[in-house]
Amino acid sequence: MLNIISLIILSILLSLAAAWAHYRLSSHTAKTRRLARLALVVIGGAFAWVMAFVYTGAQGLAQVLIFISAFGLVHVPAACVLQLKHWRGIPRQD
């Protein structure tokens, strides 16, 4: 039970990181934004699938939560870099 609660909390936090990364991508040009979003979604989905279905032996709700958290984990570096760029004041590229 404690593992499920921990996975729920982790999934929520990492999903917020994924949402933040995609929100921060809105300050880039349309071509760059689409390519970056596509790359994050494809790489995140592939990593999440491997973690949830191949690497771990979890099943049921735990497997879904591992998928969500692994998908969000891929977005953390991008969210950090995009936030740093925002703090540095790099102008919008519309």
Side-chain angles (χ1 to χ4, degrees):
M1 183 64 170
L2 183 61
N3 288 338
I4 295 295
I5 294 171
S6 300
L7 278 173
I8 289 171
I9 293 169
L10 186 64
S11 295
I12 290 169
L13 292 174
L14 291 172
S15 294
L16 290 173
W20 191 253
H22 287 276
Y23 171 73
R24 281 286 160 216
L25 278 171
S26 65
S27 65
H28 293 275
T29 61
K31 183 179 179 183
T32 304
R33 184 173 45 233
R34 282 192 297 262
L35 182 62
R37 283 189 176 148
L38 179 65
L40 282 171
V41 168
V42 168
I43 293 168
F47 180 70
W49 184 83
V50 168
M51 290 303 294
F53 296 101
V54 177
Y55 190 68
T56 63
Q59 292 188 5
L61 180 60
Q63 192 173 33
V64 172
L65 292 172
I66 289 170
F67 184 90
I68 293 169
S69 61
F71 183 80
L73 183 64
V74 169
H75 290 76
V76 171
C80 292
V81 167
L82 291 167
Q83 185 61 39
L84 288 172
K85 287 175 101 173
H86 174 71
W87 285 339
R88 286 188 64 200
I90 296 174
R92 292 180 64 96
Q93 300 175 0
D94 289 337

